């Protein structure tokens, strides 16, 4: 059989990004050997060091090049030496918007009850996935200042929602709710009571939902959704949410699944080159200290493998991560765990090898 070879673009980025990407790549390498596929990595240098040395953020030509890759693995972008948000907008948002990666997929799954700060909740209660719209809303970049710096200053940031943009996110979420791993319940989270423009979400949700009669439709306003996430997380299965609220509520999701050290996301344009990353940022104060937990990057690799069609490899990685956490071999995912960055990966790799050596059942 001809071995399939994938082209993977890597943007390790800033702060802890390169450290966690290095660990994610160790798991990618082990999975490729076990599952029998090949891959070539092309590293892109974008981030603070590159910008400070060359003045270049991310050229259009790089975006064009990235379209030819099977997937992109991103560490994190952001550096306090550079103007707030400049690198993030050019690189993270640059790839999301440039490649029209309109879905931000963020699974929130708890593997051991000791990892959640929620009293009385366990793995059976915390298993949801967020479909965050990823190319519209307050992030389209339409903003401005009038009389800047004066007492009469006016600042504007426009929330833009299109029928096409909302509908494709909603449709993706309904399809996901039908996946055998899900419970056929889809919740729309918005603030359409106060932000009447978001009525477009209400209407599209009902319209598209009529095509999916087997999916139970639920609704929660963003403020109440935050309360429910803490009080009754078991209530959520698949959640579809506009960009800004999705950005915020998925950090809450990360916190209830064990922290930023384990939360991953996919920036997806179905059928086209997509980008996978930990949801955390560059955590500059922890850079180079060997304390960042790389499991979010490992989970990003797992999502990437699943996306490119290496389901067996993705399953192996997910099971290894799950076992390492569920058995209590890793009990703390924070920067103060005392576990060096590479040791987390070592434990996952031990599980990966043990799993692959186990005889198949059934
Ligand atoms: N997609 C991205 O690249 C992305 C996402 C978010 C923030 N950022 C940028 O990152 C920079 C820092 O932002 P921030 O401090 O708000 O968020 P952050 O996610 O970098 O860090 C917040 C906190 O999360 C925890 N954390 C983060 N990564 C961790 C890891 N691997 N293991 C254990 N704990 C971890 C730490 O306690 C850290 O103080 C900023 O420049 C911001 O704009 C980039």
């Amino acid at each position: 059989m001809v071995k399939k070879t994938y082209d993977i673009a890597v943007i390790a980025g800033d702060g802890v990004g390169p450290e966690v990407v290095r660990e994610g790549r160790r798991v990618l390498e082990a999975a490729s050997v076990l599952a029998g596929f090949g891959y070539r990595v092309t590293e892109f240098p974008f981030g603070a060091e590159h910008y400070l040395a060359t003045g270049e953020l991310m050229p259009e030509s790089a975006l064009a090049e990235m379209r030819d890759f099977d997937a992109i693995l991103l560490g994190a972008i952001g550096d306090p030496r550079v103007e707030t948000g400049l690198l993030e907008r050019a690189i993270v948002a640059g790839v999301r918007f440039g490649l029209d990666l309109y879905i931000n997929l963020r699974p929130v799954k708890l593997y051991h009850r000791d990892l959640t700060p929620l009293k009385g909740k366990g793995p059976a209660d915390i298993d949801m996935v967020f479909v965050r719209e990823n190319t519209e809303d307050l992030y389209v970049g339409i903003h401005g200042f009038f009389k800047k710096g004066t007492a009469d200053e006016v600042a504007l940031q426009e929330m833009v929602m299109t029928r096409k943009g909302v509908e494709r996110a909603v449709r993706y979420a309904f399809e996901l709710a039908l996946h055998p791993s899900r419970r056929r319940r889809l919740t729309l989270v918005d603030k359409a009571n106060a932000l009447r423009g978001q009525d477009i979400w209400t209407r599209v949700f009902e319209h598209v939902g009529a095509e999916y009669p087997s999916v139970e439709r639920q609704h929660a306003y963003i403020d109440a959704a935050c309360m429910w996430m803490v009080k009754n997380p078991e209530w959520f299965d698949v959640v579809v949410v506009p960009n800004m609220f999705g950005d915020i509520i998925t950090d809450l999701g990360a916190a209830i699944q064990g922290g930023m050290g384990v939360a991953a996301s996919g920036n997806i344009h179905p059928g086209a080159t997509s980008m996978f990353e930990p949801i955390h940022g560059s955590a500059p104060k922890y850079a180079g200290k060997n304390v960042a937990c790389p499991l979010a990057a490992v989970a990003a690799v797992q999502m990437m493998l699943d996306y490119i069609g290496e389901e067996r490899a993705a399953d192996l990685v997910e099971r290894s991560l799950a076992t390492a956490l569920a058995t209590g071999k890793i009990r703390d995912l924070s920067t103060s765990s005392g576990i060096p960055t590479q040791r987390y990966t070592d434990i996952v790799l031990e599980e990966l090898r043990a799993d692959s050596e186990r005889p198949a059942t059934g």
Side-chain angles (χ1 to χ4, degrees), residues 16 20 74 76-79 88 92 96 260-261 277 279-286 292-293 333-335:
V16 299
V20 299
L74 171 72
I77 300 291
D79 187 302
E88 295 88 323
V92 184
R96 287 178 182 170
M260 301 305 272
E277 58 173 325
I279 84 164
H280 64 71
S282 55
K285 71 176 174 187
Y286 298 112
C293 173
L333 309 167
S334 74
T335 49

